[in-house]
Amino acid sequence: MLQATDLVMRFKKNRVLDGLTLDLAPGAVTVLLGSNGAGKSTLLKLALGVLKAGAGSLAVCGFDPVKQPKHARRAVGYVPDKPDVYDWMTPRELYRFLKPQYPTWNNDKVERSCTALDVPMDRKFGALSRGEGMKAMLVAALAHEPELLLLDEPFAGLDPVVREEVLRGIIAELRADERTVLCATHDLDVAARIADRVAVLHRGKIAQHGDLQDVLGGDDEAGRIPDRMRLLLAEAV
Amino acid sequence: MRVFARYLWKEWRDQRVVLLGALVAIPLLLALLVFVLPRSVTEDESFGMVTAFACLALAALAVGNEALPSESRRQTARLLARLPGGLDVAFAAKLCVVLATLIALPLYGWSIAAAFGASGVDPRLHEYMPGAFAVALWMFVVSSWLPRGALAIPATALTLGVMALPVYLVWTHNPMMTPREGALEAGIVLLTMGAVWAGWWSFARGRRFSRGAWGSSWRGLVATTVLFSPAWAYSAIESHDFHRAPDPQSERWFIQTAYIGTGQRFAFVTGADTRRFHPRARVSKPVVVDLRDGTWRAVGSPHESFRPLQRVYPASEYPVIALVDLKEPGNKTRHLWTHYFSGATGSVVKSGWSDMLFSEVQSLVPRLPRVAPDGYTFRVRYGWAVSLSKGSRRFLRDPFADKLYEIPQELRRGQYFVLKSGWLSGVRGSWRRFDPKTQERVGPEVPRPDWANTDT
């Protein structure tokens, strides 16, 4: 689904990804853990083709996101860290705008998801709460039934009640379909609740990648996982 | 197509407040102006023209300049960038809406002004609108490099100014150079069409991969440089040819005028290289040719343009006057000098009396409208006539008295011959002496002057 090999990404002198290699297992929910600025969002943006790696190779559902962006993006659903749509748009208008871009767009799924997640279809995004907006974005990301769903810290900045609401919505959607998911977060509680597998991003590389229990129980590979993160991870689980 | 239609719909929804507001505000504002301003103003054709330009400015500022920067400012460019359509379709839709607005809003404003009584179409509308439209389109392009649309005005002025500076310097340094027919129009078309490409490259390619303003602006600057390079190359080639020494023995030499002097030995010839020649070219190289052996020498400097009195002057036995039109670099006024070509010796000598600026002409004749003469021709040997675009007053200069005289209305169709001994006036084949001070024909009828034996 997502195969990254020796990815390097620099922002000026800052080497954010430094030879990252990752192969996502199909049908699994993988949580990408890492501290702020570790490069989690960068990896997701590379997968969407909105960033270009300095070196290495990346394939998303068999497509190169830089050379075949249209195919790659049609195969991927993406939920950003905050709704980045026009304030004047309603969710219904957003879905109408997006629909022609995705041949596999499923209106029934949109209706079902909106009902299940309680998304107000005819209220402008500018008037939606952050949680409602994120749920509307989740519906948009799932409406074309993507092979790979990318979640870019969708719970960041949400208050606990809304966060729980959004999290339940996401869990419900993920359980309904056997979908490959890569969720970037530094929220260990989220990781504990949704992850089948965990990938730990540290110093531009995947320091650990495996089942949740394996990552916690395995060796820490010469201390490449910060102790604090390991403790937090263990505590969260 | 459905994808593009949805983007168009998105742009319309994004801009509809401004567009609908303009549709309502323009008639109201014009109605107010019609109410406040005198009818002579609002019913003049220039009222429609000013309205059209104001609407173009409104379209450029409210829609064109904001269409691209607003996406970055609202962070919605992130959404557009990650959709399968990418930024290409988004740019195409924005371009369509901006172009439609830049065309429709001035047309709408002009129509409303016409409905309120503005009559006709001001010719300046046709003259300046293409250039104004091109600038408005360039502001749209430059705005893609910037975080705010308002910055597009100074940024566009700076960019286009810097790019056009080499061209401006070349042409002002060589004021006698004339662009080929259609060159200016071709330049405007190239820059207008090229703006589309520059905008696409700046926004759709420059903002790809989350590149910031710099990624967009350097591409835009490269595109602008590429688009201006033909104008630079053209100016350089024209300048090079202009300064190249003429070669009347070349097969490509085209003789525009020839003055064959006394004894059929020397000829004063103006001509041009056919490779550079075009009918509207005013630039011609003057040479004096020795017809016995074909030797020749160039006359004048690159800053002089010899304008012959007539297309072809037949063989004659007396000096021929050539008019030198000199415009010095940086000097907006023109000197009109006469030169004498001696057919006997082949020499060209500047006369000592006729150095004069147009501004001086205007000061000498206060009633002369302050418009640039659209033509000046020698009708007779030593006088010169100025025909004006408005009115048809005619002036002749007496080189011997160093004075300018206005020819009266009833006599201006005549021919005049200015001699040391006085003026002769020929009207309908009747020649009499003429007193320029009293502006009257005096004395008995005299035979037509014998040009060959006149005392000059």
Side-chain angles (χ1 to χ4, degrees):
Chain A
M1 280 296 150
L2 185 145
Q3 287 178 307
T5 309
D6 295 330
L7 275 186
V8 175
M9 185 69 202
R10 284 193 191 89
F11 290 109
K12 295 183 180 172
K13 289 182 179 176
N14 185 17
R15 209 174 170 103
V16 177
L17 299 182
D18 188 10
L20 181 143
T21 296
L22 179 67
D23 191 356
L24 284 190
V29 176
T30 304
V31 168
L32 186 63
L33 282 171
S35 54
N36 284 333
K40 306 184 295 294
S41 294
T42 301
L43 178 61
L44 266 55
K45 284 172 183 166
L46 286 168
L48 276 170
V50 296
L51 283 179
K52 188 179 178 184
S57 66
L58 180 64
V60 175
C61 305
F63 300 109
D64 183 331
V66 171
K67 292 177 182 167
Q68 301 161 293
K70 184 184 269 189
H71 296 293
R73 288 169 191 168
R74 280 180 173 168
V76 171
Y78 176 79
V79 180
D81 54 349
K82 57 184 175 185
D84 51 4
V85 296
Y86 303 89
D87 281 349
W88 52 261
M89 254 186 190
T90 64
R92 190 184 301 282
E93 287 173 329
L94 173 67
Y95 304 144
R96 204 178 292 156
F97 174 58
L98 296 177
K99 184 182 171 184
Q101 308 226 23
Y102 297 98
T104 55
W105 188 269
N106 187 336
N107 270 334
D108 293 338
K109 184 168 181 59
V110 170
E111 293 293 335
R112 277 200 312 273
S113 298
C114 282
T115 306
L117 294 172
D118 199 18
V119 174
M121 291 280 271
D122 296 310
R123 199 187 303 164
K124 291 176 182 174
F125 268 89
L128 291 181
S129 69
R130 179 82 177 268
E132 287 171 329
M134 290 309 294
K135 287 190 287 186
M137 296 303 286
L138 178 67
V139 172
L142 291 167
H144 60 286
E145 300 184 337
E147 293 175 54
L148 172 65
L149 179 65
L150 302 174
L151 305 172
D152 188 1
E153 309 225 30
F155 315 104
L158 298 179
D159 63 62
V161 177
V162 176
R163 177 172 162 277
E164 185 61 27
E165 194 183 359
V166 174
L167 187 56
R168 279 184 190 165
I170 287 179
I171 290 170
E173 286 296 329
L174 299 184
R175 281 183 186 155
D177 305 303
E178 288 289 311
R179 201 180 306 283
T180 308
V181 178
L182 180 61
C183 176
T185 183
H186 57 257
D187 190 330
L188 297 173
D189 181 47
V190 169
R193 290 179 64 178
I194 66 171
D196 296 323
R197 294 170 67 80
V198 171
V200 180
L201 186 56
H202 182 61
R203 290 185 181 167
K205 289 187 171 67
I206 297 295
Q208 289 270 319
H209 182 206
D211 290 343
L212 195 61
Q213 293 301 330
D214 293 343
V215 170
L216 283 173
D219 296 334
D220 63 358
E221 294 192 13
R224 277 161 53 189
I225 309 171
D227 287 343
R228 183 169 163 271
M229 181 179 283
R230 198 159 65 89
L231 287 170
L232 286 171
L233 197 56
E235 194 178 275
V237 175
Chain B
M1 201 60 205
R2 281 180 60 222
V3 173
F4 186 64
R6 294 318 296 175
Y7 274 93
L8 280 180
W9 166 83
K10 196 275 290 178
E11 289 304 321
W12 158 247
R13 283 289 279 105
D14 225 7
Q15 307 287 356
R16 75 175 179 183
V17 173
V18 173
L19 292 173
L20 291 175
L23 289 184
V24 174
I26 289 169
L28 290 177
L29 194 64
L30 287 178
L32 183 69
L33 289 175
V34 167
F35 182 72
V36 171
L37 296 174
R39 287 182 66 179
S40 59
V41 174
T42 57
E43 291 182 1
D44 191 78
E45 59 189 24
S46 62
F47 185 64
M49 179 195 70
V50 171
T51 304
F53 279 115
C55 288
L56 180 73
L58 175 70
L61 295 175
V63 178
N65 286 12
E66 280 298 331
L68 296 173
S70 64
E71 298 289 357
S72 303
R73 205 169 53 247
R74 295 178 293 182
Q75 298 191 336
T76 44
R78 299 197 317 180
L79 170 73
L80 299 177
R82 69 170 181 264
L83 293 178
L87 294 174
D88 295 318
V89 189
F91 176 77
K94 283 179 183 297
L95 179 70
C96 285
V97 170
V98 168
L99 282 177
T101 309
L102 290 179
I103 293 169
L105 221 52
L107 207 59
Y108 175 70
W110 180 84
S111 306
I112 300 290
F116 278 123
S119 59
V121 181
D122 193 309
R124 289 173 293 179
L125 193 62
H126 297 302
E127 195 176 345
Y128 296 121
M129 188 53 92
F133 182 83
V135 170
L137 199 55
W138 270 98
M139 285 205 290
F140 166 68
V141 172
V142 172
S143 71
S144 71
W145 315 344
L146 304 163
R148 291 213 163 264
L151 297 173
I153 300 167
T156 306
L158 186 67
T159 305
L160 296 185
V162 168
M163 292 291 169
L165 188 64
V167 178
Y168 174 79
L169 289 177
V170 166
W171 289 89
T172 50
H173 188 68
N174 301 290
M176 288 305 149
M177 256 172 39
T178 308
R180 285 207 233 182
E181 192 169 14
L184 192 63
E185 292 80 357
I188 289 177
V189 169
L190 175 69
L191 287 177
T192 308
M193 305 288 280
V196 175
W197 168 68
W200 169 80
W201 208 40
S202 298
F203 182 74
R205 286 290 172 269
R207 296 279 174 173
R208 204 164 64 143
F209 304 131
S210 303
R211 294 185 189 111
W214 175 239
S216 181
S217 51
W218 80 255
R219 280 172 178 79
L221 287 170
V222 168
T224 312
T225 306
V226 168
L227 289 168
F228 267 89
S229 57
W232 298 339
Y234 175 73
S235 301
I237 291 168
E238 286 286 334
S239 177
H240 174 263
D241 281 2
F242 183 69
H243 287 279
R244 195 175 54 187
D247 181 7
Q249 296 189 353
S250 161
E251 289 182 1
R252 296 194 306 226
W253 184 260
F254 175 82
I255 295 175
Q256 288 173 290
T257 55
Y259 296 75
I260 302 169
T262 310
Q264 314 285 308
R265 178 176 172 184
F266 295 103
F268 182 89
V269 176
T270 63
D273 194 311
T274 49
R275 191 167 64 83
R276 314 301 313 165
F277 179 77
H278 63 90
R280 275 176 54 193
R282 293 188 300 170
V283 177
S284 55
K285 302 285 186 181
V287 292
V288 172
V289 182
D290 187 335
L291 297 172
R292 282 198 312 189
D293 55 13
T295 56
W296 56 272
R297 62 185 173 81
V299 177
S301 74
H303 296 304
E304 293 173 322
S305 172
F306 280 71
R307 295 192 186 182
L309 311 188
Q310 295 169 13
R311 274 290 179 196
V312 176
Y313 204 92
S316 57
E317 297 176 348
Y318 35 82
V320 175
I321 301 168
L323 172 70
V324 179
D325 182 2
L326 173 67
K327 189 163 73 174
E328 292 164 345
N331 190 347
K332 290 181 180 176
T333 56
R334 283 184 168 180
H335 299 263
L336 294 172
W337 291 354
T338 52
H339 281 50
Y340 291 97
F341 167 60
S342 166
T345 63
S347 59
V348 178
V349 182
K350 191 174 104 177
S351 75
W353 53 263
S354 54
D355 183 6
M356 193 174 189
L357 301 174
F358 269 138
S359 54
E360 292 177 52
V361 175
Q362 289 179 335
S363 66
L364 277 174
V365 187
R367 288 181 300 161
L368 199 66
R370 294 192 67 82
V371 294
D374 58 4
Y376 29 85
T377 54
F378 269 84
R379 297 293 176 88
V380 291
R381 293 177 65 192
Y382 295 129
W384 54 281
V386 178
S387 59
L388 301 166
S389 55
K390 286 187 178 177
S392 53
R393 298 171 65 191
R394 188 176 169 194
F395 304 86
L396 283 178
R397 184 180 182 82
D398 186 336
F400 306 106
D402 197 15
K403 281 187 180 175
L404 191 74
Y405 295 101
E406 181 168 8
I407 305 301
Q409 175 81 15
E410 62 274 16
L411 295 175
R412 72 176 180 221
R413 286 186 182 277
Q415 285 183 292
Y416 295 87
F417 195 57
V418 185
L419 308 171
K420 269 184 185 171
S421 53
W423 289 38
L424 292 179
S425 162
V427 179
R428 296 187 198 90
S430 163
W431 285 85
R432 296 169 68 186
R433 290 202 171 274
F434 178 78
D435 184 349
K437 293 174 186 168
T438 60
Q439 297 191 338
E440 287 180 353
R441 281 153 59 94
V442 292
E445 191 166 322
V446 297
R448 188 179 186 279
D450 181 355
W451 304 107
N453 299 312
T454 307
D455 172 22
T456 58

